[in-house]
Amino acid sequence: LYTHILSWEPGSAKSHNNLAMAYADGGRLEEAIRLYRQAIELSDEYPQTHHNLGNAYLHVGDEDRAREEFMRAVAMDPDFHHSWIQIGVIQLKRGNLTAASDAFERAIQAHPYEVNAYLGLAQVRLQQGDPRAARSVLESGLNALPRHPALQDVLEKLPTLAP
């Protein structure tokens, strides 16, 4: 469908992005990356396109470029929590706990109903050696998302802490 639309509207950034998403979903990542770049060249006004390009780079193993695209997305929209989460995941994986913490906190501030932000921040607190802070993060998540099974599961698995 989108290839047909592009034959009629070759200057449509949105159609380039949508076709790229279809290619990415189908595992055609190099084609998706090419189309995301074209979409950005045509109209660089949507953080979603940078986010999508970042995810494609992650899937091909290029974390540096992925992080750059996620950073571009949040530069365009500081409340784009999806990219903050991905930045946090990359930083956590790299052992940059302060940067990971900042990213997850920004995601929570922008959208307090995103479970992955709480789970990521709790993981940071555990790696910092602070299970009490991890527990507090998970409890805050449960305040925003009552009875969320992932938050409850991780909270139950934390070591029992003395009062």
Side-chain angles (χ1 to χ4, degrees):
L1 174 66
Y2 291 113
T3 55
H4 178 73
I5 292 171
L6 281 175
S7 71
W8 290 98
E9 295 181 22
S12 169
K14 185 176 181 179
S15 294
H16 277 80
N17 181 69
N18 291 343
L19 179 57
M21 288 178 10
Y23 281 166
D25 287 345
R28 297 167 63 177
L29 295 168
E30 293 302 327
E31 291 169 284
I33 289 169
R34 179 181 55 77
L35 285 166
Y36 286 133
R37 287 182 184 163
Q38 287 176 352
I40 290 167
E41 286 176 20
L42 290 167
S43 177
D44 191 9
E45 60 183 291
Y46 301 108
Q48 294 87 344
T49 308
H50 287 283
H51 180 79
N52 295 341
L53 178 55
N55 280 331
Y57 280 135
L58 274 184
H59 282 97
V60 298
D62 193 340
E63 283 186 357
D64 291 332
R65 282 190 173 162
R67 185 183 168 283
E68 288 172 15
E69 293 303 326
F70 296 135
M71 293 300 293
R72 285 185 180 112
V74 297
M76 294 174 90
D77 179 357
D79 291 333
F80 197 71
H81 68 281
H82 303 288
S83 287
W84 282 121
I85 291 169
Q86 293 294 62
I87 293 165
V89 168
I90 291 169
Q91 296 295 5
L92 181 60
K93 183 177 177 184
R94 292 179 174 182
N96 299 329
L97 300 181
T98 300
S101 176
D102 291 345
F104 290 127
E105 287 173 356
R106 293 288 302 265
I108 291 168
Q109 180 183 12
H111 187 71
Y113 307 103
E114 178 55 60
V115 67
N116 291 319
Y118 292 103
L119 293 172
L121 185 57
Q123 182 64 37
V124 169
R125 298 297 180 250
L126 286 172
Q127 287 192 22
Q128 290 172 328
D130 194 346
R132 286 182 194 272
R135 180 175 294 281
S136 177
V137 166
L138 295 169
E139 289 169 348
S140 293
L142 284 170
N143 284 334
L145 301 157
R147 297 178 301 281
H148 192 285
L151 293 170
Q152 287 178 322
D153 183 54
V154 173
L155 189 59
E156 289 170 9
K157 291 179 181 176
L158 279 179
T160 305
L161 303 172

